[in-house]
Amino acid sequence: MAEHPHAALVRKGYDAFSRGDMDTLRSLMSSDATHHVPGSHPLSGDFKGQDAVLDMYRRLYEETDGTMSVELRNVLVDGRGHAVAVHHYTAERQGRRIDENGSIVFRIVGDKITDLDECVEDIDKGNAFWS
C-alpha cells in the first residue's frame, strides 16, 4: 500500500531539514507558509513567509553550532489536508542540552505546506534552553 502523499511530503521535509537543504524545504512550502513556535524565547513566535521560516531554521542550526538533530518517529494524516509528525530532537547550546519529543501539525493545501504548528513536550524546558 502506497504512503499517503501528505505523509510523503512531511517525510521529505524532515529529510531536507536534517540535511540542511533549504532549497528543498522552500519548494515544499507555499510562499506565505507560517511556522508557529511555542514558548517565550527568542526563537518562538510566528514566522510568516518562506524567507522568515527558513531564516528561523538557519538560526536553529547557528544557535546550536550544528548540533541540532531531529529524528522523525511517525506521520499521521487525516486525508483532508492535515498531517501530524511526531519526532525526537536533541541539541546543545551554551553548555546546555535538550533531549525531547515534539510534534508539528501541518496544514497542506494541494501539494504545499501552508502552516506548521509546533508542539513541544515541556515548554519551560524549551524556554530555558533557547533563552
Side-chain angles (χ1 to χ4, degrees):
M1 191 161 155
E3 183 173 47
H4 191 279
H6 293 162
L9 179 69
V10 169
R11 286 184 195 285
K12 185 174 182 179
Y14 270 82
D15 178 63
F17 180 86
S18 292
R19 292 182 291 106
D21 182 351
M22 298 301 162
D23 290 335
T24 295
L25 286 170
R26 182 179 298 277
S27 75
L28 302 177
M29 293 185 284
S30 65
S31 62
D32 61 347
T34 303
H35 189 135
H36 309 275
V37 179
S40 58
H41 54 80
L43 288 172
S44 65
D46 298 329
F47 299 87
K48 185 162 180 62
Q50 289 176 342
D51 291 340
V53 172
L54 296 176
D55 187 57
M56 186 265 293
Y57 295 165
R58 178 193 56 77
R59 289 177 59 202
L60 292 173
Y61 281 102
E62 260 181 22
E63 291 288 327
T64 63
D65 290 325
T67 64
M68 180 150 200
S69 174
V70 179
E71 177 190 342
L72 181 61
R73 298 270 171 94
N74 204 356
V75 181
L76 311 168
V77 298
D78 69 356
R80 297 178 295 117
H82 299 96
V84 177
V86 178
H87 60 255
H88 185 84
Y89 64 100
T90 60
E92 295 177 12
R93 181 177 182 269
Q94 299 176 354
R96 296 185 299 262
R97 179 171 170 76
I98 196 160
D99 186 337
E100 296 242 323
N101 295 308
S103 68
I104 299 177
V105 179
F106 292 84
R107 175 75 175 126
I108 300 164
V109 176
D111 63 350
K112 298 288 184 186
I113 297 166
T114 62
D115 208 59
L116 303 90
D117 280 305
E118 190 171 337
C119 299
V120 295
E121 192 170 47
D122 185 332
I123 288 178
D124 293 334
K125 190 184 243 185
N127 286 338
F129 179 77
W130 292 110
S131 293

